[in-house]
Amino acid sequence: MLFAVFLPVLLAIFIPYLSKWKENIHTGFFVLLAPLAIFIYFIFSIGNGFDPVWQKYQWIPSLNIGFDFYLDGLSLLFVLLISGIGTLVTLYSIYYLDKSERLDQFYVYLLLFMTAMFGVVLSDNVYVLYTFWELTSISSFLLIGYWNHREGSRYGAMKSMLITVFGGLSMLGGFILLHLVTGTTSIQEMIAQADVILQSDYFAAIFAFVLLGAFTKSAQFPFHIWLPDAMEAPTPVSAYLHSATMVKAGIFLVARFTPIFSGDEWFFVIVSGVGILTLCWASYMAVRQTDLKGILAFSTVSQLGMIMAMLGFGTKTAIYAAVFHILNHATFKGSLFMVAGIVDHESGTRDIRKLGGLATLMPISATLAFFGTFSMAGVPLPFLNGFYSKEKFFTAATELPETSIWLAELLQQAIPYLAVFGSIFTFVYSMYFVFGTFTGHKQLEKLPAKPHEAPIGMLLSPMILVLGVVVIGLFPNMVNSTFLAHTAEAIYGKPVETHIKFWHGWITPLFMSIAVVVFGAILAYTRKGWQGIYTFLPGKLSFNKAYDFIVDQLEKSSARITNRYMNGSLRRYMVLILTAILIGAFSTLWITDGFALDTSDIASVTIHEVVVAVAMAIAAISTIFTRNKIAAILILGVVGYGLSLLFVLYRAPDLALTQLVVETITVALFLLCFYHLPNLREQTELASQKFTNVAISVGFGVLMTTVAISAHSTKGFETISDYFLEKSYKLGGGDNVVNVILVDMRGLDTLFEIVVLGIAALGIYALIKLRNKKGAEK
Amino acid sequence: MNQLDGIIDIVAAICMVTITISIALLLYRVVKGPTNPDRAVALDAIGLNLMAIAGLVAILLGTTRLNDVILLIGILLFIGTIALAKYLEKGVIIDREHD
C-alpha cells in the first residue's frame, strides 16, 4: 500500500521531463497509468470475504508516528473512488486541456493531490492523516489557482486555503488532545478506547475541533462558501476535487470517528443539524445560480450536507444510506461536472441564461446530463441510483434513534420535513440545470462559439460514470454485500445486512418521494414566478459578504492596531518598554513578596559621602533643566567626577582611574560633535505627556532603588570574594586582585570587552569614512 | 607616634568634610553659571578638590595605591580644561590640516 500511496507523487517527479514531449504525446497519457494501476490493485480487495489489512512502515518511531496504513471497507470505498474517478478525470483532462496549457504543472498538482487523498483515507496514524490532509489543502489551492492570471482564481484559491487550513489546524488540535487522552496515535486503537475518550474532560474540545476540521473540508454550513468560488478551477479539477474526493474527506473523517463520537448524544444534534441545514440552504441557493458550475457547486454542498446528516442519524439504515450515497453522488456528480465542462468547452460559456436548446446539437451530452440530473434529483425510476439513496435517506429520516436531549427531540420532529424541503429544491435545480441548458430556445447568437458535439474522448469519462449510475440503478445489490456492507460495517461497528429493492410497497418514504417529485415539478415549472424571493432571502445577506468583511476587517484592524503603537516615535517605544518593565517587575515583587528592608547589614555613613552624594544628585537633576548644551555637559562632568570620588572613597583606585579617563574622553567627544549638534530645543510636550514622563521616570527610579535595597537585604548565599582575595597571589601571581580577576580569573570577559571596543572603533571609522561615498548603502 | 596618628586622622577627616563642602559650593557655580567659562573653571576646581580628597583618603588609609589616581587627575584635568578652553575659544578641539 505504501507504493500505491506514493506512486502518484513518484510519477510527479518525472512529469516535467515527460511533458517536454507534449507536442507528440499529451502528458495526461502518462499520468493516466498511475490511478489506473492503483484502481486495479485495490479492486481485487472487493469481495464477500473482505478483511481489514494493516501495513506499517516506520517514519518517526520515537514519536509513534509511522505510515500505518489500514484498509477497511471505508478506506476501500474511498480508495476506489479516488483512483477510479481519478482515472476518468485524467482521461477527460487529456481532451479538455489543450497542449498549449502548462500541462506539467497541472499534472504535478493533480498527482500530488492523489497521493494526499490516498494518504488521508488510508492512514491509521492521526498525525500522518493530518499531514496528508494539509497536502490536499495545498494541492487543492494550487489547482484552484491554476489559471493564476485570473483574479477570480486567485481569490477562490485563497479563500479555500484559508477556510480549509483553518479547519485543518483545528483538527490537529483535536488529534493532539486525542493522543494525550488515549496515549496512542492509531485511530483504530483510539476507537478501542472510545469509553476513555467519551469520559475524558477534553471530550467537548476534541469533538468540536475534529468536527470543525471535517465541516470546513466538506463545505458544511456556514463554511460552504469556499466551494462555489473554487469553481474557478479547470473543470476536471472541479469534477475530481470538488465533487468526488476532497470534499468527501470531511465526510470520511466523520465516518472514521463515528465509532468514537456517536457515543455522545450531541453527535446527532450537531452533525445531523449542520448536515440538514446545509442540505436545505445549499439546495435553496443552487436554484439562484446562473453558472452551470455554480449550480453544481451548491448541489455538491447540499448533497454533502445530506450525507453528513445521515452519518449523524447513526442508525443502521442511515449509515448504509450515507455510504451508498457517497458512491452514487461521486458517479452522477462527476459526470455532471464533466458535462458542464463539455458545454463550456463547446459553446464557450457556462452562463445558463445564454444557453438553451442544445439537445439537438449535443445529443450525447444531453443524454448523459439527463441521466445525471434525474439521478441527482432522486426521480423514482428503476435505473437511477440516486433514487435508492434518496429513498433510503427518507427511510432513515423517519426512523430516527431515541434521544433525551430536548434539542434533539425538536430536531427529530423537524428532520423529515426539512429532508423533503431540501429534496424538493434538489429536484428544482436539477430540472433547472438540465432543461435550462438542453431544451428551450436556441440562442446561438449569444454564444461565443458555435456549439457542436464533443469528441469521443471527452465523452468517454462521463459515459463510464453514467454507466455506473445505470448499472448500480439496475442492480443495486451488486455493490451491496460485496462492497458497501463492509464500508457500513466499518462505520457502524456491527455487521450491516441490507437488501435494496426498487419497490418497498406503499410506505412513508415513497409518499415523500412522490411529494418531492410533484412539488418539485410545480416549483420548477413556475420558477420564474417565484424567483423574486431571492431578493428577500438571502437578499443582501450572504456568508461571502461576512467572509469578505472578516478578512477585510482583520487586515484593516491589524493595520490600525499596529499603527497605533508602532508610530515610529522612540519616545512611544521607551514608554512602552519601561512601563512593561515597571509592571512586570513590581507585580513579580508583589506576588513573590520580594520587598525587603533590612538595616542590620548597613555600614555607617560619613558626612563627606553624604555631601558628595547630594552634590551629584543636584548636578544630575539640574542637567535635565539646563537649556545650554555646553552647560549640560559640564554639569554632567560633575556627576562623573563625583562618581570617581565615590570610587576613591570606597577604595577602588582602579575604577577611579578608569572612570576619570573615560569621563574626560567623553567630555572631549561631546565637545567634538557639539559643533554639529543642534541646540537643545524647548520641549514642546503636552502636559499629559510630561506627566507620563515624570511618572515613568520616578517609577523606574523607585523600582531600581527597591530592587537594590531588597537585593542587598536578602543575601541568599556567601559571596566568593574571599576566594579571590585568598587565591589572587597564590594562583594569579599578583597583588592587585581586580586586575588578576580581569586577566586571569575572568579573562574571557576582558577579551570580549576588547572586541567590543575594537568593533566600536571600526564602526566609527566606517561611519565617518563611508558617509558620502557613492555606492554606500543608503 | 600613636598620638600623632590620631591627630593626623582628625585633621584629615576635617579636611575631607571641608573639601566636600567646597565641592558642593563649586557645584553652585557649575549649575548657575552664568557663563560657560565660569562653569569650566569651576569644574577644573572640582577636579583639584578631587586630587586633594584622593590624597587625604590615601593618608587615612595609609596606602600609596591612590598616588596614581592623584597624578592622573592632574594630567586629565589639564587636558580636559585645555580642550574646553580651546572649544570655548575656537569652537573646535582638533584643528584640521590646511589643504
Side-chain angles (χ1 to χ4, degrees), chain A residues 333-349:
Chain A
K333 190 54 65 66
S335 70
L336 283 178
F337 265 108
M338 289 175 186
V339 167
I342 289 170
V343 170
D344 183 19
H345 205 261
E346 303 304 331
S347 71
T349 183

Side-chain angles (χ1 to χ4, degrees), chain A residues 607-608 611-612 615 618-619 622 628 630-631 634-635 638 641 644-645 648-649 651 653 657 660-661 664 668 671 674, chain B residues 16-17 20 23-24 27 30-31 36 39-40 43 46 50 53-54 57 61 66 68-69 72-73 76-77 84 87 91 93:
Chain A
I607 182 123
H608 42 271
V611 176
V612 170
I618 292 170
S622 49
N628 184 325
I630 296 182
L634 290 175
I635 299 171
V638 177
Y641 280 145
S644 54
L645 190 52
V648 169
L649 290 176
R651 290 151 214 178
L657 278 176
L660 276 168
V661 176
T664 312
L671 292 176
F674 260 20
Chain B
M16 290 265 277
V17 175
T20 46
I23 289 178
L27 176 71
V30 175
V31 172
N36 281 331
R39 294 194 176 98
L43 201 62
I46 288 178
L50 214 57
I53 286 184
V57 171
L61 299 177
L66 285 171
D68 296 347
V69 182
L72 191 81
I73 297 173
L76 289 176
L77 268 182
L84 267 172
Y87 178 78
I93 297 177

